[in-house]
Coordinates of all heavy atoms in Angstrom, one line a residue:
Chain A
V65 N -53.1 118.6 194.0 CA -51.8 118.1 194.5 C -51.3 117.1 193.4 O -52.0 116.2 193.0 CB -51.9 117.4 195.8 CG1 -50.5 116.9 196.2 CG2 -52.4 118.4 196.9
A106 N -49.1 115.5 184.1 CA -50.1 115.5 185.2 C -51.1 116.6 185.0 O -52.3 116.5 185.4 CB -49.3 115.7 186.5
S138 N -43.0 128.9 193.0 CA -42.2 128.9 194.2 C -41.6 127.6 194.4 O -42.2 126.5 194.3 CB -43.1 129.2 195.4 OG -43.1 130.6 195.7
D149 N -28.9 119.4 212.2 CA -28.7 120.9 211.9 C -27.5 121.1 210.8 O -27.3 122.2 210.5 CB -28.4 121.6 213.1 CG -27.3 121.0 214.0 OD1 -26.4 120.2 213.4 OD2 -27.2 121.2 215.2
P156 N -25.7 121.7 200.0 CA -25.8 123.1 199.7 C -26.8 123.4 198.5 O -27.5 124.4 198.6 CB -24.4 123.6 199.5 CG -23.6 122.4 199.2 CD -24.3 121.3 199.9
D179 N -29.1 122.5 216.7 CA -28.7 123.9 217.0 C -29.2 124.8 215.9 O -28.8 124.9 214.8 CB -27.1 123.9 217.0 CG -26.6 125.3 217.3 OD1 -27.4 126.3 217.2 OD2 -25.4 125.4 217.7
F183 N -27.8 125.9 212.1 CA -28.6 125.6 210.9 C -28.9 126.8 210.1 O -28.6 126.9 208.9 CB -29.9 124.9 211.3 CG -30.8 124.6 210.2 CD1 -30.7 123.4 209.5 CD2 -31.8 125.5 209.8 CE1 -31.6 123.1 208.4 CE2 -32.7 125.2 208.8 CZ -32.5 124.0 208.1
W213 N -48.4 133.9 204.6 CA -47.6 134.1 203.4 C -48.3 133.5 202.2 O -48.4 134.2 201.1 CB -46.2 133.4 203.6 CG -45.3 133.5 202.4 CD1 -44.3 134.4 202.2 CD2 -45.2 132.6 201.3 NE1 -43.7 134.2 201.1 CE2 -44.2 133.1 200.4 CE3 -45.9 131.5 200.9 CZ2 -43.9 132.5 199.2 CZ3 -45.6 130.9 199.7 CH2 -44.6 131.4 198.9

Side-chain angles (χ1 to χ4, degrees):
Chain A
V65 178
S138 266
D149 50 24
D179 183 342
F183 177 87
W213 181 91

